[in-house]
Amino acid sequence: MTTVLCVPQWQGSASDGAPRLVAGARTAAALVPASAVVTVPVLETGGGRTAGIRAYDALVENQRLTREALAGIGDLVITVGGDCAVDIAPIEAARARYGDALTVLWIDAHPDVHSPRTLPSGAFHGMVVRALLGDGPPGLTPERPLAPRQVIIAGERAGHATEHRYLAETGLRRHGVADLERAFDGLRGPVYVHIDLDVLDPAAFGSTCYPEPDGVRPELLAELVCGVDEIVGAAITEHAPAGDEPDPREAEVIRGLAAALAR
């Protein structure tokens, strides 16, 4: 049994197109095969900057609401966002259940290991992995953080130099597009799979706030995800369509990735 947790949050992004993430989350959630869809009643408003993070209060409240929604779900959960910050509470829940055995496969064009000191925009979706490792603000950081050995970055090609230094210092495993398959070599469960749609090549999927050239082919990503044993949770994030309805071709991409995750 699979439940889709729809989290139409936009406040973690600094893009002018961030409000499109709301419709994107709802549209993508309808494309994921599931026995039920639970929509988190996230805040619609933004907010000021606190501790270097824009819309901090809204993000903290949204995370509280997401944890509350998760508490009532016993199925496999596929979280659909919204910006990448929607994944903190589900990963925190997976960490609590599977402990040190959990691996988080973070499939994203960006490594998301900024801090408020290195990201002038204050966009928290660029800081999510760092927060998951325990280096984040109160209310947005799990009580039991992940260890660096539990995280694999895959498909990254647009990280900042400060992020690459952090990856080197912490020893986080990182694979780009050219060696994407290596991220999946020997991968065993329990695995949580995070997919930021901007990992895909914009020629195949362009409805994201931060498209990056030379990305992953959707067919290859779906094939690799299908080979992962024991997926215990997953997310599809950062869908930002221009209108209320997705491009038919892009809808098929989301369906294919969702089928691979929920098989």
Side-chain angles (χ1 to χ4, degrees):
M1 301 285 283
T2 300
T3 293
V4 167
L5 184 68
C6 177
V7 191
Q9 173 178 287
W10 62 273
Q11 295 94 333
S13 173
S15 169
D16 291 340
R20 303 201 314 265
L21 294 168
V22 175
R26 297 181 186 278
T27 300
L31 298 172
V32 179
S35 52
V37 177
V38 175
T39 300
V40 178
V42 296
L43 301 184
E44 297 180 0
T45 56
R49 183 181 295 223
T50 301
I53 296 174
R54 61 193 296 153
Y56 173 81
D57 290 341
L59 291 169
V60 170
E61 176 61 10
N62 287 349
Q63 197 160 135
R64 185 192 69 79
L65 292 166
T66 303
R67 289 191 183 101
E68 190 174 86
L70 276 169
I73 303 174
D75 301 335
L76 171 72
V77 174
I78 296 181
T79 301
V80 179
D83 64 71
C84 287
V86 304
D87 226 5
I88 286 185
I91 290 175
E92 179 182 32
R95 172 76 171 86
R97 182 170 184 178
Y98 296 100
D100 295 343
L102 181 71
T103 297
V104 173
L105 181 61
W106 194 266
I107 305 173
D108 197 319
H110 312 85
D112 295 345
V113 292
H114 273 293
S115 75
R117 299 180 300 280
T118 65
L119 191 58
S121 71
F124 184 67
H125 72 163
M127 312 178 196
V128 177
V129 172
R130 194 157 177 159
L132 288 168
L133 294 170
D135 187 9
L140 296 175
T141 302
E143 291 185 6
R144 294 184 63 197
L146 298 168
R149 62 173 180 76
Q150 292 180 270
V151 180
I152 303 171
I153 308 291
E156 187 267 317
R157 59 192 183 278
H160 190 268
T162 59
E163 292 184 283
H164 289 159
R165 282 197 294 272
Y166 180 84
L167 294 176
E169 291 167 359
T170 57
L172 280 177
R173 288 169 284 176
R174 176 264 180 202
H175 300 280
V177 175
D179 65 339
L180 181 68
E181 290 90 343
R182 290 186 57 197
F184 293 80
D185 286 348
L187 188 60
R188 298 289 182 270
V191 179
Y192 189 103
V193 180
H194 167 96
I195 298 177
D196 182 329
L197 292 167
D198 69 20
V199 77
L200 301 174
D201 194 281
F205 195 100
S207 294
T208 66
C209 290
Y210 293 94
E212 300 289 349
D214 303 319
V216 180
R217 290 185 296 105
E219 301 82 5
L220 173 60
L221 182 56
E223 178 184 345
L224 291 171
V225 169
C226 273
V228 178
D229 292 329
E230 197 183 350
I231 294 177
V232 298
I236 298 174
T237 66
E238 303 281 353
H239 181 219
D244 292 336
E245 296 295 329
D247 176 278
R249 184 183 62 163
E250 294 188 340
E252 285 305 308
V253 169
I254 294 175
R255 286 193 184 97
L257 293 174
L261 293 168
R263 67 190 187 284

